Amino acid sequence: MKTIRGRPRCGDDLYDFILAKIPPNPGPLRDAVLEFMLHGECGHANPNAPCMDLDNKSRSKIFPKVATELTMILCHV
């Protein structure tokens, strides 16, 4: 793993830190991931979603994010 002071040096190094899998076996870990780690529907489909600004009825957390092919980070070395 390539790091500078414990931080990834480039976007490709992030994959050594991040793992995105839903646990395959039923149980509390899988339940927690499905409940807390996935962004569900929002907007008109679910105006009470946690990402919604109830006063403005708009997305407050800039979700959904646009999917990208590459991971980019800015480095200040």
Side-chain angles (χ1 to χ4, degrees), residues 65-76:
K65 304 283 187 194
V66 176
T68 62
E69 291 292 322
L70 299 172
T71 301
M72 297 175 61
I73 58 173
L74 298 176
C75 295
H76 300 285

Side-chain angles (χ1 to χ4, degrees), residues 55-73:
D55 295 330
N56 298 325
K57 296 189 177 18
S58 63
R59 292 176 182 95
S60 64
K61 308 287 189 253
I62 314 172
F63 280 103
K65 304 283 187 194
V66 176
T68 62
E69 291 292 322
L70 299 172
T71 301
M72 297 175 61
I73 58 173

Side-chain angles (χ1 to χ4, degrees), residues 8-9 11 13-14 23 25 35 41-42 57 64-65 68 70 75:
R9 289 178 42 194
D13 294 337
L14 287 175
N25 300 323
E35 183 175 352
E41 291 188 54
C42 58
K57 296 189 177 18
K65 304 283 187 194
T68 62
L70 299 172
C75 295

Side-chain angles (χ1 to χ4, degrees), residues 3 6 8 10 15 21-22 35 37 39-40 45 55 61 68 74:
T3 64
C10 68
Y15 300 111
K21 285 187 177 181
I22 297 174
E35 183 175 352
M37 303 299 291
H39 188 274
D55 295 330
K61 308 287 189 253
T68 62
L74 298 176

